[in-house]
Amino acid sequence: MTSQLQRAVDLAAAQNPRRYVITGGPSSGKDDLIEAVIAAGLPCMEAEPGREIYRKHRERLGRHLRKEDRRAYAAEVLDAFVAEYVGHTAGIRFYNRGIPDGYGWEGFFGLRPSPDLEDATARYRYDTVFVLDPLDRFEDADDIVWAKEREIRRVHELVVQGYYDAGYEPVFVAPESAAARLDFICANLRLPKPDRNGD
Amino acid sequence: MAEALRALLRRGLPAAPDAVTPALLDLRGVAARAADPADEASRRAALDGLLRSTLARFPDVKHSRSVRALFGMAPAEPGWNLTRRRDAAAAACGMEVNHFRKRIEPRLVEVVAASLVADDEAFTRTSAIAPRLTAATARQRIPAEPFAWEVAEHEAALTAVWAAIYALRAELLTIERLLSLGAGRSEVVPHAVDAAWAWGRTRRAALDFTDGWDTGLDPHALVALAGWAPALAAPEADRLTQAAAAASDRTAFLTAVRSDIALSDAWIEPFFHTTNTDID
């Protein structure tokens, strides 16, 4: 990390918590950006808790999660996100998805937001939400959208809508390299850019 | 669409009830985003989010601040009237306000309208269309996250249904070709058995797919995409489906259905006796 960025992070560490969400649908390049955030030395939630919880529920059910299975799953994911949120008490922290992602998840499966999700969304607020627009083009050369890409697009837009429903005004991060995206995010947060010369 | 947007522009964002027309609220992208699609207020909130995300990602960088101001986003503020928003929009791109109103504003509204139409298209449910395939240029890596897993699992299930539908279609086409050639009963019946096995497996796959996923599709309509097949009563269709799904191979299937004379008659005889008039 550059001394400037390090100083900014150290300075913020003694101050009130500042929470920044990085989110987006599949194929948004989120994992690459999270890796870049961590490599830059910025405090960041590494693994999205939904992964392990999903694996556990799928293993228990022996099949994919149907609509009727989703409430229990969503409640557990919400608990994990709330724990992540309250566990951070000072300084900067980036989040691999945030609590309002639940609106997108539940909407994708035709469920209305649960009261617990609405309550947690109102109580635990993030400072800035960065939405990564998908890296892949949605349409092919013939201007025909594939079924799979329609689903990916649908998930992504429902996640975005979830943040609007939750009262956020997300910052959209254009589909670029992870390094360029991180530079954009740092500039938006008035943080020094990470140095990539090994200094 | 542009006309509906111009009506909304008079009040700007957030979208007010009396400024929103059905043309906007009925967009598929709006209904899909709404927490409760049957509720107009919920749809209006979804439209608000859709417009804000569209304006936030406006493709024309030169006019992006202008179009946002025009609709009431920063640098404009909620509650500003159209005249004030238009002033801010013209200032954001360094233009005289009358020139902006006459020349630029209509074009910007058209671009936003086109984005809404494109979004509407993207939300059309196309699950009844077989997934398009192209030659792979690289290994398909699935990102390690639940959304990606779910989308991949959905595509796998959809692909399996289509594999069954096309397999059934091949069997049905074979029967029709043989009948057209004047083939004898002894030559056609074994293929009718193959088709019965394929039909049962296809119906099982279609039922599983429509039960397990929120597709809005009718399983019987999915099976019917393979082509004409004898119309079975519900008990017979269920017996055939159960036998086909349980059979590990053709012999096992044949063993399971051999003694079911009613089912055999209901499936095989129509191939020899049904005419186009009957189908109509």
Side-chain angles (χ1 to χ4, degrees):
Chain A
M1 192 189 306
T2 61
S3 55
Q4 276 190 327
L5 185 53
Q6 181 68 64
R7 273 199 297 276
V9 170
D10 290 346
L11 191 66
Q15 298 170 354
N16 288 334
R18 283 151 61 183
R19 300 178 176 89
Y20 308 124
V21 172
I22 294 173
T23 190
S27 304
S28 62
K30 182 168 63 65
D31 286 355
D32 290 344
L33 177 58
I34 294 290
E35 262 182 44
V37 168
I38 292 166
L42 290 161
C44 182
M45 171 179 155
E46 199 163 337
E48 180 194 339
R51 293 180 190 180
E52 281 315 308
I53 297 169
Y54 183 87
R55 282 195 184 104
K56 194 180 75 178
H57 278 256
R58 204 185 183 295
E59 201 170 305
R60 178 176 59 80
L61 293 164
R63 55 167 170 74
H64 75 268
L65 276 65
R66 293 180 178 170
K67 189 173 174 178
E68 62 268 24
D69 306 317
R70 308 210 71 88
R71 281 290 184 218
Y73 166 68
E76 209 171 319
V77 172
L78 177 60
D79 286 346
F81 273 97
V82 169
E84 279 279 349
Y85 184 99
V86 299
H88 179 61
T89 54
I92 291 170
R93 186 163 174 80
F94 284 84
Y95 288 79
N96 187 344
R97 301 198 182 282
I99 290 169
D101 271 70
Y103 283 82
W105 287 88
E106 296 188 15
F108 186 66
F109 291 95
L111 297 172
R112 298 193 65 174
S114 69
D116 286 348
L117 174 61
E118 297 197 288
D119 182 53
T121 298
R123 186 178 307 197
Y124 306 113
R125 304 294 294 179
Y126 300 94
D127 293 276
T128 307
V129 174
F130 294 99
V131 170
L132 308 186
D133 271 340
L135 294 169
D136 296 339
R137 292 190 64 222
F138 293 135
E139 295 163 349
D140 69 9
D142 298 328
D143 207 28
I144 295 171
V145 184
W146 294 17
K148 176 188 69 182
E149 287 168 351
R150 278 179 190 275
E151 293 301 296
I152 289 173
R153 164 75 180 252
R154 214 157 69 82
V155 171
H156 180 73
E157 294 301 335
L158 290 174
V159 168
V160 171
Q161 180 66 31
Y163 279 90
Y164 281 111
D165 287 347
Y168 289 95
E169 198 77 56
V171 176
F172 289 88
V173 184
E176 291 181 289
S177 68
R181 285 173 146 183
L182 180 54
D183 286 352
F184 171 84
I185 287 171
C186 286
N188 188 281
L189 298 176
R190 300 182 189 284
L191 289 171
K193 281 185 188 177
D195 181 48
R196 299 187 181 88
N197 297 324
D199 296 341
Chain B
M1 188 55 54
E3 193 179 330
L5 281 176
R6 278 190 286 274
L8 183 140
L9 203 52
R10 285 195 279 276
R11 297 281 293 274
L13 294 175
D18 59 349
V20 177
T21 60
L24 292 171
L25 293 182
D26 290 345
L27 286 166
R28 282 180 289 250
V30 169
R33 286 172 173 87
D36 180 1
D39 177 45
E40 189 179 314
S42 178
R43 283 201 186 214
R44 214 166 43 246
L47 172 65
D48 200 83
L50 170 58
L51 281 168
R52 286 176 191 276
S53 67
T54 301
L55 296 168
R57 292 179 278 192
F58 196 72
D60 176 358
V61 176
K62 186 180 167 191
H63 294 109
S64 56
R65 276 174 63 81
S66 297
V67 75
R68 286 196 280 270
L70 189 63
F71 278 86
M73 293 171 68
E77 290 177 17
W80 284 12
N81 64 24
L82 178 55
T83 304
R84 196 169 176 196
R85 280 183 274 125
R86 190 175 276 143
D87 286 344
C93 59
M95 286 182 186
E96 190 274 324
V97 69
N98 280 322
H99 175 76
F100 178 86
R101 180 175 61 81
K102 287 180 187 166
R103 304 284 178 207
I104 308 298
E105 183 177 312
R107 195 164 54 79
L108 297 182
V109 171
E110 290 288 346
V111 173
V112 176
S115 297
L116 294 184
V117 171
D119 182 83
D120 184 67
E121 288 297 314
F123 275 85
T124 306
R125 302 300 292 267
T126 57
S127 303
I129 298 174
R132 278 162 52 92
L133 304 174
T134 57
T137 54
R139 185 173 174 184
Q140 184 174 1
R141 302 278 186 186
I142 308 292
E145 65 161 318
F147 269 171
W149 295 334
E150 303 238 38
V151 169
E153 192 159 18
H154 175 269
E155 191 192 357
L158 180 66
T159 306
V161 170
W162 279 101
I165 290 171
Y166 279 110
L168 171 58
R169 180 161 183 76
E171 300 297 349
L172 294 172
L173 284 172
T174 299
I175 293 170
E176 298 300 351
R177 179 178 58 81
L178 290 172
L179 290 170
S180 172
L181 284 167
R185 191 178 177 91
S186 62
E187 195 179 352
V188 173
V189 167
H191 289 283
V193 172
D194 291 339
W197 187 29
W199 188 92
R201 283 179 294 167
T202 305
R203 184 164 181 262
R204 180 72 269 158
L207 287 167
D208 288 346
F209 181 63
T210 52
D211 277 353
W213 305 89
D214 181 25
T215 63
L217 293 172
D218 174 8
H220 308 294
L222 271 176
V223 176
L225 291 170
W228 178 85
L232 298 179
E236 289 157 353
D238 289 344
R239 291 206 301 280
L240 180 52
T241 303
Q242 193 175 1
S248 57
D249 55 28
R250 187 180 188 279
T251 306
F253 172 68
L254 201 52
T255 303
V257 297
R258 191 187 300 275
S259 59
D260 194 336
I261 305 298
L263 175 58
S264 295
D265 287 349
W267 178 261
I268 291 173
E269 293 310 316
F271 282 114
F272 296 100
H273 303 302
T274 306
T275 64
N276 280 336
T277 311
D278 295 334
I279 297 168
D280 294 341

